Amino acid sequence: MQKERDHTIRQAMIDALAEGPKTIRDLSQSLGIMEKDVTAHLPFIEKTLKHSSRRLHTEPFRCLNCGFVFKDRKKYTRPGRCPQCRRGRIDHALFRVE
């Protein structure tokens, strides 16, 4: 049986991100939705927050082998591999609302 929500999923995501930095996996587990659904909602959350005083901040994905930072990445999905060392050990990005 699915529990009823007081807020929409996007509002629940904004509230969770306002509590502190979270990964896509953290949001997925706390809200009970799939990770791909979280990444689909993030652009809309960013757009919604532009109309208020709050912003969605991202600590970018980082390669665990060479330290490459994906700072100019526009997508919210995790990259497959590092363009510098070609390895697939990519650390999760952190998202937060301030």
Side-chain angles (χ1 to χ4, degrees), residues 56-91:
L56 179 67
H57 293 279
T58 305
E59 292 179 30
F61 295 96
R62 182 180 316 269
C63 178
L64 295 172
N65 284 331
C66 68
F68 179 80
V69 178
F70 293 82
K71 61 183 173 187
D72 295 328
R73 185 170 174 87
K74 302 290 184 215
K75 297 180 184 178
Y76 293 105
T77 56
R78 188 171 165 265
R81 60 182 167 154
C82 175
Q84 200 166 27
C85 70
R86 304 285 184 211
R87 300 272 171 89
R89 294 187 62 217
I90 308 295
D91 193 17

Side-chain angles (χ1 to χ4, degrees), residues 3-66:
K3 62 180 181 179
E4 291 188 34
R5 295 187 160 107
D6 294 333
H7 301 292
T8 64
I9 291 196
R10 291 183 186 163
Q11 186 59 49
M13 286 177 66
I14 291 170
D15 293 343
L17 291 169
E19 293 172 3
K22 304 251 188 292
T23 64
I24 291 171
R25 180 171 288 156
D26 294 337
L27 288 169
S28 169
Q29 290 175 349
S30 68
L31 298 173
I33 60 175
M34 296 175 62
E35 289 182 26
K36 68 179 183 177
D37 293 334
V38 173
T39 58
H41 286 295
L42 285 173
F44 296 104
I45 288 173
E46 183 176 27
K47 191 175 182 179
T48 300
L49 292 174
K50 282 186 180 180
H51 300 290
S52 68
S53 61
R54 300 185 296 174
R55 296 285 178 257
L56 179 67
H57 293 279
T58 305
E59 292 179 30
F61 295 96
R62 182 180 316 269
C63 178
L64 295 172
N65 284 331
C66 68

